[in-house]
Amino acid sequence: MNKEEAENLLKESRDKIDVLDEQIINLIVKRTSLAYDIAISKKALNKELLDTSRENIIHDKINNLLDGIDIDKDSVIEIFGILASMSKEEQKKYLD
């Protein structure tokens, strides 16, 4: 690969990452916006904010989805932990 090809590949790759970053942000916003529905459902069902059985299901699902994929699984699980924390913080707004 020559310098021009490398520069083009770098730019194309960065452009693709920019598009993916925007999509990821939009998905996070959509995911977090479901916290209201979850919170009012939990309130109507008299359920606690923390649902460890659901968190275990999600953890298992993520592990299964990552099975056979060459990626840092701990980092992906950490990302989903952050997403779960964000959801719980949003839910707290409606449960208090």
Side-chain angles (χ1 to χ4, degrees):
M1 175 179 296
N2 65 36
K3 183 178 178 181
E4 183 180 340
E5 291 171 329
E7 286 176 357
N8 285 336
L9 180 60
L10 179 61
K11 183 187 180 321
E12 289 172 10
S13 296
R14 286 179 173 168
D15 289 345
K16 288 177 184 178
I17 286 174
D18 290 344
V19 170
L20 290 170
D21 286 346
E22 185 176 339
Q23 291 173 347
I24 290 168
I25 289 169
N26 289 332
L27 288 171
I28 291 170
V29 169
K30 285 180 185 179
R31 188 184 195 283
T32 304
S33 71
L34 294 171
Y36 172 76
D37 295 340
I38 293 168
I40 61 171
S41 298
K42 284 181 178 179
K43 193 170 194 171
L45 295 168
N46 201 26
K47 290 189 172 228
E48 295 292 322
L49 174 67
L50 181 61
D51 185 349
T52 53
S53 64
R54 173 66 180 156
E55 289 189 9
N56 290 336
I57 290 168
I58 292 169
H59 190 267
D60 291 343
K61 180 182 72 169
I62 293 165
N63 276 321
N64 288 336
L65 290 170
L66 294 173
D67 195 36
I69 298 175
D70 185 22
I71 193 166
D72 182 351
K73 291 180 183 182
D74 290 335
S75 293
V76 174
I77 290 168
E78 184 177 345
I79 290 167
F80 275 90
I82 292 167
L83 292 171
S85 293
M86 289 173 66
S87 180
K88 282 184 256 184
E89 287 301 314
E90 283 297 308
Q91 290 177 48
K92 281 182 188 177
K93 293 177 185 177
Y94 306 111
L95 291 173
D96 292 336

